[in-house]
Amino acid sequence: MKSTFRHTLTALILAGIASPVLAAQLPPGAQLAAKQEIVRHIKDEPASLDPMKAVGLPEIQVIRDLFEGLTSQDAQGNIVPGVAESWSSSDNKTWIFTLRGNAKWSNGEPVTAQDFVYSWQRLVEPKNSSPFAWFAGLAGISNAGAITKGELPADRLGVSAVDAQHLKVTLDRPVPWFPALAANVALFPVPQRVIASAGDGWTAPGKLVGNGAYQLASRVVNEKIVLLRNPAYWDDVHSVLTRVTFIPINEESSATKRYRAGDIDITESFPKNMYAQLKKTLPGEVYTPDQLGTYYYAFNTQKGATADARVRKALSWSIDRRIIAEKVLGTGEKPAWRFTPDVTAGFRPVQSYIEQHSQQELNAQAKALLTAAGYGPGRPLHLTLLYNTSESHQKIAIAVASMWKKNLGVQVTLQNQEWKTYIDSRNSGNFDVIRASWVGDYNEPSTFLSLLTSGNSSNIARFSNADYDAVLARARGETQADARNSDYNKAEQILAEQAPIAPVYQYTNGRLIKPWVKGYPINNPEDVAYSRELWIEKH
């Protein structure tokens, strides 16, 4: 039975997911400062302000203010309308997006469906070498993979303009969460005529034309990027900040000093070793919100002792996750009882076995599993635990190795490698146990669970299980959220039983925020923060 997914602004409001005002949500009686200007810290100088050329977070933070995709996120991370006011699909493979009639570029020209066709084709065109070209394939857009490999021309991409206000997207597989992917920077529109006229210099101040809430006023490389309100933005009436300045500072300690001196209103991070001190000296300004990410250990499932699921399970169960999160780290991290983080949208987890039992009980059962696998005092298990060089990774590895030795008698050799060598070891399967982590590309359980499907290039453990692959394939085709959630829990149960990985803790994303800055979406697990959501309170 087919069902239709239709999301409109009205439906979202009725469901309590979105507000009719998608920008700053001023509470009744809010006292605004006369000067609505803010200074935001980013960790590096952006490589480019062209969405197609974005490399990482420094670019993305600025680009989200300059451009807008088909969809956006609210303060909790729920998907809300952006350039598209509604969207529909009957099979999760063919999607129709209806663009709002008042969406305009900063030069006053209308944003049309053809702008998205051009922009997405530009993204996957091999000669453009976009660092984010892979995202179109991950999103399931038809022919994206073949185009990026040079096997098909870009105009064969599964996207077309039905008319100026209707965009048709064809996927090569059902993707129920495609509207969430449409909020990604990689799928933002760019102005074809401006690029054709200005060439590679189109992102310079005075030339850049965007469709976001702000426009580029000035840029001094390695010093600052200044944005001003875009009066042509469709929802400009609800923006409050008039000026946004981004300051690139690589060192966390330097950014923290600038913050404490009053030069910065929001930092991207702070030194973890200063957490206790900052909590004491800056009460109410230190935040460690949950992040959509999991730190884990991957076991080599193809060779050595860890090819035995009993050994893997014993090792996983004997890790005291509470001690790691609360004592070894102690900056708001939570134990990871499963691979998918608690904050993942659309996921209602069933309590895992290890979550329901005390560490003492788990240790006893882990010892029995290891004995059944043939290891004990007369034949101790010897393992190498590999991690990339980092003080934090080292602290966790030492703690875990100590737990394995104390609880199971396992003899652990710690091995740290610089990033490139570590990656080579990881890719070649030259490890017993290896540190790894994953931060979601989008907010849906499949961004984590699909990692461990057979043949996935990011499947570090080389785990291959037909039942696991089948349940995730079924989840992709589900049109009902409850059925899909059930499949995801079954997938987690298989991971718990086979233990190709040992989830250790759930990430947090620490930052400092001045008390007069209001509207920061601190509960958004993807940390998506548009400046149009913020305002400065009178102080």
Side-chain angles (χ1 to χ4, degrees):
M1 179 179 174
K2 291 183 178 180
S3 66
T4 300
F5 282 78
R6 184 158 188 87
H7 297 256
T8 63
L9 182 54
T10 302
L12 287 164
I13 296 166
L14 291 174
I17 294 173
S19 162
V21 178
L22 299 180
Q25 306 291 296
L26 295 177
Q31 297 290 310
L32 294 177
K35 194 175 181 181
Q36 289 297 315
E37 300 180 1
I38 201 168
V39 179
R40 298 179 60 175
H41 163 227
I42 50 178
K43 289 187 176 180
D44 285 291
E45 175 66 27
S48 173
L49 297 182
D50 184 338
M52 181 191 76
K53 296 180 180 179
V55 176
L57 196 58
E59 294 84 22
I60 290 171
Q61 297 284 49
V62 183
I63 290 171
R64 284 191 185 123
D65 280 353
L66 295 172
F67 300 89
E68 182 175 64
L70 292 168
T71 59
S72 291
Q73 294 188 17
D74 68 11
Q76 283 70 47
N78 299 305
I79 294 302
V80 295
V83 176
E85 61 184 6
S86 64
W87 49 91
S88 63
S89 177
S90 61
D91 58 3
N92 294 331
K93 285 184 71 175
T94 300
W95 292 87
I96 301 294
F97 289 84
T98 301
L99 276 57
R100 58 180 76 252
N102 59 342
K104 291 183 173 63
W105 294 103
S106 54
N107 62 5
E109 295 181 3
V111 177
T112 69
Q114 183 56 39
D115 289 323
F116 285 90
V117 174
Y118 162 75
S119 303
W120 294 8
Q121 289 179 352
R122 179 174 178 261
L123 173 72
V124 297
E125 173 58 58
K127 68 181 182 183
N128 290 332
S129 301
S130 171
F132 270 109
W134 57 270
F135 190 83
L138 178 144
I141 304 174
S142 290
N143 296 327
I147 295 168
T148 55
K149 292 176 184 175
E151 298 170 357
L152 287 174
D155 61 9
R156 292 286 301 277
L157 189 67
V159 59
S160 60
V162 178
D163 54 39
Q165 278 188 264
H166 293 89
L167 183 75
K168 180 180 179 181
V169 183
T170 305
L171 309 181
D172 58 19
R173 61 185 184 277
V175 182
W177 49 89
F178 183 79
L181 304 184
N184 190 279
V185 166
L187 300 183
F188 282 6
V190 291
Q192 182 174 6
R193 290 207 302 174
V194 174
I195 294 172
S197 173
D200 290 341
W202 77 275
T203 58
K207 293 184 179 179
L208 191 148
V209 171
N211 70 320
Y214 293 84
Q215 52 191 334
L216 182 62
S218 64
R219 181 180 186 182
V220 181
V221 174
N222 291 320
E223 187 178 322
K224 62 181 178 179
I225 298 171
V226 180
L227 312 183
L228 299 176
R229 283 263 291 276
N230 171 18
Y233 179 59
W234 67 271
D235 199 29
D236 178 60
V237 67
H238 290 122
S239 295
V240 178
L241 295 178
T242 59
R243 182 187 183 97
V244 181
T245 302
F246 288 93
I247 305 290
I249 304 174
N250 184 261
E251 292 185 0
E252 292 178 331
S253 57
S254 297
T256 300
K257 286 179 183 177
R258 293 280 298 274
Y259 175 89
R260 299 180 82 165
D263 298 336
I264 293 173
D265 297 305
I266 304 173
T267 69
E268 269 298 286
S269 59
F270 58 81
K272 287 294 182 79
N273 61 4
M274 293 181 66
Y275 179 70
Q277 176 193 346
L278 292 170
K279 286 278 285 185
K280 184 178 181 180
T281 58
L282 299 172
E285 299 179 41
V286 182
Y287 294 85
T288 54
D290 294 333
Q291 188 180 9
L292 192 68
T294 302
Y295 187 107
Y296 67 97
Y297 282 128
F299 300 113
N300 192 327
T301 64
Q302 299 300 306
K303 63 182 181 181
T306 53
D308 188 328
R310 294 171 298 183
V311 172
R312 301 194 299 264
K313 192 186 293 187
L315 293 169
S316 177
W317 284 10
S318 57
I319 297 174
D320 191 330
R321 290 158 172 81
R322 291 185 180 88
I323 285 180
I324 298 294
E326 298 167 12
K327 305 297 184 185
V328 178
L329 296 167
T331 53
E333 292 82 2
K334 294 179 180 178
W337 307 117
R338 59 193 65 80
F339 191 30
T340 309
D342 295 345
V343 292
T344 309
F347 185 53
R348 299 183 305 283
V350 173
Q351 271 203 331
S352 66
Y353 185 85
I354 60 173
E355 193 177 2
Q356 298 177 62
H357 292 78
S358 70
Q359 192 59 49
Q360 187 177 4
E361 291 172 317
L362 293 173
N363 290 342
Q365 295 188 47
K367 196 167 186 177
L369 282 167
L370 205 59
T371 300
Y375 298 96
R379 188 195 173 204
L381 174 62
H382 292 266
L383 289 175
T384 297
L385 173 54
L386 175 63
Y387 59 93
N388 55 299
T389 304
S390 157
E391 184 180 349
S392 175
H393 300 332
Q394 183 182 45
K395 284 170 61 178
I396 295 169
I398 290 171
V400 170
S402 175
M403 293 169 186
W404 285 345
K405 183 176 181 180
K406 177 184 177 182
N407 301 329
L408 303 175
V410 177
Q411 302 297 315
V412 184
T413 300
L414 298 182
Q415 182 180 17
N416 71 298
Q417 295 177 343
E418 293 303 320
W419 181 252
K420 186 178 183 302
T421 308
Y422 159 86
I423 291 295
D424 289 341
S425 297
R426 192 174 79 177
N427 291 341
S428 62
N430 187 24
F431 62 87
D432 296 324
V433 188
I434 187 169
R435 183 216 76 85
S437 62
W438 189 255
V439 176
D441 289 316
Y442 51 96
N443 194 355
E444 209 275 342
S446 62
T447 191
F448 291 91
L449 296 173
S450 63
L451 232 64
L452 289 160
T453 53
S454 302
N456 189 302
S457 60
S458 296
N459 185 347
I460 300 169
R462 307 288 199 282
F463 180 59
S464 182
N465 182 284
D467 292 338
Y468 185 81
D469 294 344
V471 76
L472 280 180
R474 186 171 68 228
R476 284 196 296 270
E478 290 286 1
T479 56
Q480 299 298 323
D482 286 346
R484 198 159 56 247
N485 186 70
S486 176
D487 286 337
Y488 289 146
N489 273 298
K490 287 173 185 173
E492 286 283 5
Q493 288 165 12
I494 293 172
L495 293 184
E497 184 61 33
Q498 295 298 315
I501 64 170
V504 180
Y505 71 86
Q506 301 177 45
Y507 277 119
T508 57
N509 191 6
R511 68 177 64 252
L512 304 172
I513 304 176
K514 292 293 186 185
W516 51 79
V517 174
K518 301 300 179 182
Y520 194 92
I522 203 69
N523 294 318
N524 184 325
E526 291 182 88
D527 194 37
V528 173
Y530 310 100
S531 294
R532 57 181 166 79
E533 298 176 314
L534 312 177
W535 73 92
I536 305 298
E537 190 176 59
K538 188 176 181 180
H539 61 280

